[in-house]
Amino acid sequence: MTAVVSGGRAEASTVHAQAGLDLVDAYRQMLTIRLLEELILDLRRAEHMAGSVHVSVGQEVPPVAVVAALDERDRVLATYRGHGWALACGVPPFALLSEVLQRATGTNGGRGGSAYLSAPAYRFVGENSIVAAGLPIANGVAMAAQYTESGGVTVVSFGDGATNQGAAHEALVFAIARRLPVVFVCENNGWSEMTPITDTVPNASLADRARGYGMAAVAVDGADLTEVARVAANSVARARAGEGPTFLEISVPRLLGHYNADVEQYRSEEDRDAHRGRDPLPLVRQTILERELADAGQLIALEAAVQEVVDRARADALEAPHPDPATAGDHVVGTSEFQAAGPLPETGKSLAYGLAANRALGRELEERPEMVIFGEDIAIPGGTFGVTRGLRKQFGERVFDTPISEAAILGAAIGASTSGLRPVVEIMWMDFLYVALDQIVNQAANVRYLSRGQVTAPFVVRMQQGAAPGSCAQHSQSLEALLAHIPGIKVGLPSTAHDAYAMLRAAIADDDPTVIIESRQLYQVSGVVDLDAPVERVGGARLRRQGTDVLIVSWGRMVDDCLQAAEALSGLGIQASVLDLRWLAPLDMASIAAALRSAGGKVVVVHEANLTGGFGAEVVARLVSDHFDELDGPVRRLATPDVRIPTSPVLRDALVPGVDQIVSLAREAADY
Ligand SMILES: Cc1ncc(C[n+]2csc(CCOP(=O)(O)OP(=O)(O)O)c2C)c(N)n1
């Protein structure tokens, strides 16, 4: 029984596709998935690989029936339980199995394993081991298809439990707002790991719930191959015709535990029996015989042929080599090659920092047709701080407003960037990144590494941070160290108007996910900007002042305070160097070391972020471990103490370091 519903009322789509499913071939595919999954469990039991495996035994219908509706323009994302989807997309059993066995010949050379494998050459964008994280990314893949008018449709599969995730909610909201060509396939096996879905969703109709978002939604029995194929074909056709996303709730039996070692002590025998009775394989076999699409002899021959394919994959995968340990560090980022920055330009245009960033965005939009900009209030309103003002007018729909959905914004940026676009997105306040950190840390940072450089995510996230008078503790933090800690992403903090322009252009040109952390306090501060400066590479510090007595290292907003402190120190007879790191990842250690030497080995590191675990700790650790002999005295750190940021300007000023503290610490260092 199928119900198509949209916007709360039952409604047939204007588009109907022919479901041309070949039942015999579908049975062959389902059997291949089943036998491979059973083999994977056997191999895990025999300890041929490490870690957990999540198999899809009983859930073979959705991948086979849905992928049958797709063509070469389309893309598929799945979860850790995604082997069936990969196989249905055409990934060869050997490539899949040797990845599950973590071998060099696997789809990801052993970097992804059972739960996180991908095969873009087969349209399989990949699995995801973070529940629901694939949904926002699928939106981005679909956004690229929509932007290029390729007609491509993106399918993302996930479990019933995933519908309780914030990322899933945001993704549905975002997909509807943008009318994206996505088919959301919820494989409802009744269990969210070890908890029945009815415990958390009392009405248990996930299609119903999706309908509440204004989404076209269909509930269908996953044991009914023909019916699933029919509704899938309709959903894909709707998406292709520009009618927007559909949510398919496909009820499937869960014939085994959540993962290989799950003995299901929490599950009743009645529930298991009920699920066993819905095993789709004998049902499809029976249908084929009843409809005389093949006779028993032909099916026995087909089954033997599938067994042979699986046996061959087993033998080959067990013989396959392990990855070369020497390659473990490859493909974290595209390149970390850079040069130290020269002096700031003396001629150019005088622009405020915020306007300089605006100019960079406008210039890049002009030069890169694949670039899009999106975020909260950034298009028609021009951004909370006016940085994107005027761009919507000039570039139309390439600059658009989104729902207040940070995870959906970042996920869309990832999916779109891996599919040929070059998005620049804005997170209004860096403090808000916390609600969507998964998309940066677990998703974006892994794209290149996992695919061994075959897929990259060239997008930029702009945000601003810092303690400004009157802002509360949730709008005042300096969190750069959090991101600089993550391999696979690049992080820069412009301290001048010229760098607000030049570093943003460098970030947009870079092929890795790059975060530009602007300073709210600098937006109105003007400086000379060379609008025609050649586009730099990401990375490279800038020596802002040369002295011989002490080196002050800083970045972002504090650089100005350090320069003022150096001026004051000069009046005291102490000549200080000031080095603006600009980029924390990649870190220009060579410039730090060179500046240290010319300042006689005395150094102070200054930042606005809290002391403990601040990036200053990293700079100090590297100086001590790699340049100990060049140091003259202890390395000193000046930072905001480990306190929350209060709103009162009086209290805030008692915590955030300023010029006077820099002067006194630099004096202490110089006099050592
Ligand atoms: C964000 C996140 N939270 C929790 C987990 C641990 N976890 C892995 S699978 C899973 C159950 C998900 O259930 P469901 O979405 O129904 O999919 P199924 O496993 O049944 O296919 C959980 C809680 C995770 N991987 N990611």
Side-chain angles (χ1 to χ4, degrees), residues 59 80-81 129-131 159-162 165 189 191-193 258:
Q59 304 190 190
Y80 44 86
R81 203 180 298 290
S129 253
I130 303 295
V131 168
D160 43 277
Q165 266 285 346
N189 64 13
W191 289 89
S192 315
E193 201 168 75
H258 172 71

Side-chain angles (χ1 to χ4, degrees), residues 18-37 56 58-71 76-78 81-91 123-124 155 157 185 187 222-233 236 248 250 252 280-281 284 288 306:
Q18 291 300 317
L21 190 71
D22 173 344
L23 273 192
V24 177
D25 189 57
Y27 177 61
R28 182 191 59 74
Q29 289 188 56
M30 288 171 60
L31 188 64
T32 308
I33 296 170
R34 174 71 59 95
L35 294 185
L36 267 166
E37 293 286 50
S56 59
Q59 304 190 190
E60 295 85 357
V61 165
V64 171
V66 176
V67 175
L70 303 181
D71 66 31
V76 172
L77 293 85
R81 203 180 298 290
H83 305 159
W85 288 91
L87 291 165
C89 285
V91 175
R123 303 171 295 172
F124 188 59
V155 169
S157 102
V185 177
E187 297 183 71
D224 187 341
L225 178 63
T226 318
E227 186 60 0
V228 176
R230 193 185 68 74
V231 297
V236 169
L248 293 188
I250 308 179
V252 288
L281 270 168
V284 176
I288 291 171
V306 170

Side-chain angles (χ1 to χ4, degrees), residues 54-55 59 79-81 128-133 158-165 186-195 197 206 252 254 257-259 438 442:
H54 305 77
V55 294
Q59 304 190 190
T79 70
Y80 44 86
R81 203 180 298 290
N128 210 306
S129 253
I130 303 295
V131 168
F158 49 92
D160 43 277
T163 61
N164 288 335
Q165 266 285 346
C186 176
E187 297 183 71
N188 185 351
N189 64 13
W191 289 89
S192 315
E193 201 168 75
M194 297 168 196
T195 304
I197 189 66
L206 302 175
V252 288
R254 191 176 100 172
H258 172 71
Y259 73 111
D438 171 60
N442 287 319

Side-chain angles (χ1 to χ4, degrees), residues 309-358:
V309 167
V310 172
D311 289 347
R312 163 103 349 250
R314 177 186 192 280
D316 291 348
L318 284 173
E319 290 294 307
H322 288 279
D324 177 358
T327 64
D330 295 349
H331 303 295
V332 177
V333 289
T335 173
S336 290
E337 281 173 29
F338 56 79
Q339 292 185 322
L344 281 169
E346 285 173 7
T347 55
K349 207 169 165 58
S350 176
L351 291 174
Y353 179 100
L355 192 54
N358 175 282

Side-chain angles (χ1 to χ4, degrees), residues 302-610:
L302 177 149
E303 286 154 0
V306 170
Q307 187 65 59
E308 208 173 299
V309 167
V310 172
D311 289 347
R312 163 103 349 250
R314 177 186 192 280
D316 291 348
L318 284 173
E319 290 294 307
H322 288 279
D324 177 358
T327 64
D330 295 349
H331 303 295
V332 177
V333 289
T335 173
S336 290
E337 281 173 29
F338 56 79
Q339 292 185 322
L344 281 169
E346 285 173 7
T347 55
K349 207 169 165 58
S350 176
L351 291 174
Y353 179 100
L355 192 54
N358 175 282
R359 289 296 170 86
L361 294 170
R363 174 91 179 253
E364 292 293 332
L365 278 163
E366 255 166 35
E367 293 183 5
R368 297 178 189 274
E370 73 279 19
M371 183 171 150
V372 291
I373 304 188
F374 53 98
E376 295 160 15
D377 303 331
I378 63 99
I380 294 164
T384 311
F385 304 100
V387 174
T388 48
R389 197 169 288 153
L391 298 175
R392 165 69 172 218
K393 211 166 173 193
Q394 198 181 344
F395 298 98
E397 261 297 315
R398 290 171 66 197
V399 180
F400 61 88
D401 291 317
T402 66
I404 308 167
S405 306
E406 281 79 8
I409 293 168
L410 293 172
I414 295 169
S417 64
T418 57
S419 309
L421 299 190
R422 212 160 260 259
V424 177
V425 297
E426 179 177 300
I427 296 294
M428 202 185 270
W429 240 270
M430 183 150 185
D431 311 70
F432 309 162
L433 187 66
Y434 273 113
V435 304
L437 213 44
D438 171 60
Q439 290 293 338
I440 295 272
V441 178
N442 287 319
Q443 310 300 329
N446 277 319
V447 170
R448 181 187 287 278
Y449 188 75
L450 189 76
S451 68
R452 291 172 294 170
Q454 287 171 44
V455 186
T456 57
F459 70 95
V460 176
V461 191
R462 289 182 43 251
M463 55 188 88
Q464 57 75 30
Q465 71 171 14
S471 291
C472 74
Q474 294 157 332
H475 288 65
S476 296
Q477 297 164 95
S478 291
L479 299 169
E480 66 271 14
L482 198 72
L483 295 179
H485 180 69
I486 309 300
I489 57 173
K490 295 173 176 173
V491 184
L493 296 92
S495 69
T496 63
H498 179 74
D499 274 348
Y501 178 81
M503 288 172 65
L504 184 50
R505 294 197 70 195
I508 295 168
D510 198 90
D511 285 335
D512 286 306
T514 302
V515 181
I516 292 287
I517 306 173
E518 295 161 1
S519 162
R520 182 163 76 262
Q521 302 220 64
L522 294 180
Y523 275 139
Q524 302 308 327
V525 177
S526 291
V528 174
V529 180
D530 179 1
L531 294 169
D532 298 319
V535 178
E536 300 170 6
R537 277 202 168 160
V538 160
R542 173 178 278 122
L543 193 63
R544 293 290 301 279
R545 183 183 173 116
Q546 175 76 65
T548 47
D549 300 329
V550 62
L551 167 65
I552 307 173
V553 177
S554 193
W555 52 91
R557 186 189 72 76
M558 288 301 267
V559 172
D560 271 350
D561 284 6
C562 295
L563 287 166
Q564 284 178 45
E567 203 54 43
L569 285 162
S570 170
L572 299 169
I574 296 169
Q575 301 312 322
S577 290
V578 176
L579 184 71
D580 175 4
L581 287 187
R582 301 168 79 236
W583 298 95
L584 303 190
L587 177 62
D588 185 358
M589 219 35 229
S591 287
I592 301 177
L596 175 76
R597 268 174 234 125
S598 61
K602 300 171 192 283
V603 56
V604 178
V605 183
V606 178
H607 57 71
E608 182 177 316
N610 293 118

Side-chain angles (χ1 to χ4, degrees), residues 92-315:
F94 168 69
L96 179 113
L97 190 59
S98 53
E99 184 58 37
V100 172
L101 293 179
Q102 301 145 356
R103 304 300 170 100
T105 51
T107 49
N108 303 77
R111 290 178 174 210
S114 167
Y116 196 25
L117 63 88
S118 59
Y122 295 91
R123 303 171 295 172
F124 188 59
V125 175
E127 297 187 304
N128 210 306
S129 253
I130 303 295
V131 168
L135 283 80
I137 298 172
N139 281 343
V141 177
M143 187 190 291
Q146 189 183 54
Y147 185 80
T148 56
E149 297 180 359
S150 73
V153 173
T154 305
V155 169
V156 55
S157 102
F158 49 92
D160 43 277
T163 61
N164 288 335
Q165 266 285 346
H169 167 88
E170 290 193 18
L172 298 186
V173 168
F174 193 99
I176 291 165
R178 302 297 305 164
R179 215 177 163 82
L180 293 173
V182 184
V183 181
F184 293 98
V185 177
C186 176
E187 297 183 71
N188 185 351
N189 64 13
W191 289 89
S192 315
E193 201 168 75
M194 297 168 196
T195 304
I197 189 66
T198 44
D199 276 13
T200 55
V201 188
N203 63 356
S205 168
L206 302 175
D208 238 20
R209 193 194 235 189
R211 203 186 320 155
Y213 293 90
M215 173 83 74
V218 185
V220 59
D221 177 3
D224 187 341
L225 178 63
T226 318
E227 186 60 0
V228 176
R230 193 185 68 74
V231 297
N234 276 345
S235 308
V236 169
R238 277 190 83 240
R240 236 191 263 302
E243 290 192 8
T246 304
F247 185 97
L248 293 188
E249 180 187 357
I250 308 179
S251 321
V252 288
R254 191 176 100 172
L255 300 183
L256 298 172
H258 172 71
Y259 73 111
N260 54 296
D262 178 11
V263 293
E264 298 189 302
Q265 85 287 356
Y266 52 85
R267 194 175 178 190
S268 71
E269 209 38 63
E270 297 75 53
D271 185 72
R272 279 191 224 206
D273 284 346
H275 282 245
R276 276 190 209 116
R278 296 169 58 221
D279 184 345
L281 270 168
L283 292 175
V284 176
R285 194 178 198 282
Q286 188 60 30
T287 309
I288 291 171
L289 292 173
E290 279 166 13
R291 294 196 199 162
E292 297 183 354
L293 299 170
D295 62 27
Q298 287 168 317
L299 287 186
I300 289 167
L302 177 149
E303 286 154 0
V306 170
Q307 187 65 59
E308 208 173 299
V309 167
V310 172
D311 289 347
R312 163 103 349 250
R314 177 186 192 280

